[in-house]
Structure formats: C-alpha cells, structure tokens
Amino acid sequence: MFSWLRRRRLNEDARRRLVIALARAEDELIETHVQNALDVIAAVGDELPLDRVLDVYLEAMEPGATRATLIARRVLASLEDNERSRSRGARRLRELLDED
C-alpha cells in the first residue's frame, strides 16, 4: 500500500488523512481478531491450553507475523484485565458480605 502512496502525488493534507484512515482500519482489524480469538478461547473452554488455542486461531487466520504478535499480546492483556476485574469484584463482594 505504501509503495502505491509513494508513487502518487498527494497534497500533504490528503496524505495525512489517508495514513490516519489506514491506521484506524488496521487498529479495527486487529481488534476484530482479538474479539474473535477471545470467542474461540471461550468456546473451547478448558479443553486446550490457552497458548495452543491462540496458536490454532493465528494459524487458521494467517494474519502475518507482525499482526499475530499484536493480536496475541492484546488477547493476553484482555484476559489479564478480565481476571483482575473478576478478582476486584469478588473481593468487593466479600467486603460487602463481611459488613453484614
């Protein structure tokens, strides 16, 4: 894509808008992969180890090495965030029950 952009003569404003639009599209594509990978992980449950499920998803979708790394990192971060939220929720529930 960027080779096409280098061959075209776009004014600076149009070039900037194009690059921003491409960046947003890339981010949305990665986020869609993350959500899909999380859905696959939820569907498989405890039948396979997490790293294997993630490998299977990435092999099936063939996102390329750079995207695969980003997707895997975001999936793991999302799972960690969810675990922290559950822990905080459980802790708060215990606190509320102890107050009674």
Side-chain angles (χ1 to χ4, degrees), residues 32-50:
T32 298
H33 274 298
V34 169
Q35 290 305 312
N36 290 341
L38 290 170
D39 289 345
V40 170
I41 290 166
V44 172
D46 296 329
E47 294 181 39
L48 289 173
L50 174 63

Side-chain angles (χ1 to χ4, degrees), residues 41-75:
I41 290 166
V44 172
D46 296 329
E47 294 181 39
L48 289 173
L50 174 63
D51 59 334
R52 183 64 188 134
V53 177
L54 200 47
D55 284 343
V56 167
Y57 176 84
L58 294 171
E59 286 173 17
M61 294 296 109
E62 299 178 355
T66 302
R67 277 190 190 143
T69 299
L70 288 170
I71 293 164
R73 286 180 183 167
R74 288 190 186 185
V75 165

